[in-house]
Amino acid sequence: MTDDTLFRLEATIAERLQGDPAASYVAKLHGKGLGKIAQKVGEEATEVVIAALSGDAQELTGEAADLVFHLLVLLGEKGVPLSAVLAELNRREGTSGIVEKQSRSN
């Protein structure tokens, strides 16, 4: 069984990117531009770290969901499909993180 939640969310975000900023948070972010969207991803990543260090699993879960959401908004803004990210993860599967990182620095 596969869970298509992220793909459904990606589709919703794509629809809302062109929506009314008064009615859509995604459209409002889009209207503020790439810099603001990237800033939100950074803020959410920081909140994930803080939640992880606090030891509260429920807070971490919520912050992780916020981070994934904002990352999908950023990917949508840049025209990078979730499938491309998943393909890259699949490409890396079974490769040591150390080896994979070294291959990128060459």
Side-chain angles (χ1 to χ4, degrees):
M1 182 170 112
T2 60
D3 186 347
D4 64 348
T5 301
L6 292 177
F7 290 106
R8 287 194 323 269
L9 181 56
E10 178 183 47
T12 299
I13 288 168
E15 289 173 15
R16 293 185 182 169
L17 276 173
Q18 305 307 317
D20 178 5
S24 168
Y25 175 71
V26 172
K28 185 176 178 180
L29 271 178
H30 172 70
K32 291 182 178 183
L34 180 61
K36 182 61 175 177
I37 296 169
Q39 178 185 350
K40 284 299 295 179
V41 171
E43 289 170 6
E44 297 301 339
T46 299
E47 291 173 9
V48 165
V49 171
I50 292 167
L53 294 174
S54 77
D56 183 337
Q58 184 176 358
E59 182 180 358
L60 177 57
T61 300
E63 295 300 345
D66 289 348
L67 176 59
V68 170
F69 170 80
H70 284 89
L71 179 59
L72 287 173
V73 173
L74 178 63
L75 291 172
E77 183 75 17
K78 292 294 292 182
V80 176
L82 176 60
S83 61
V85 175
L86 295 176
E88 178 61 13
L89 289 171
N90 284 329
R91 184 190 70 77
R92 296 179 185 185
E93 186 176 10
T95 303
S96 160
I98 293 170
V99 171
E100 197 282 325
K101 188 172 182 178
Q102 287 172 342
S103 74
R104 287 187 277 152
S105 61
N106 292 333

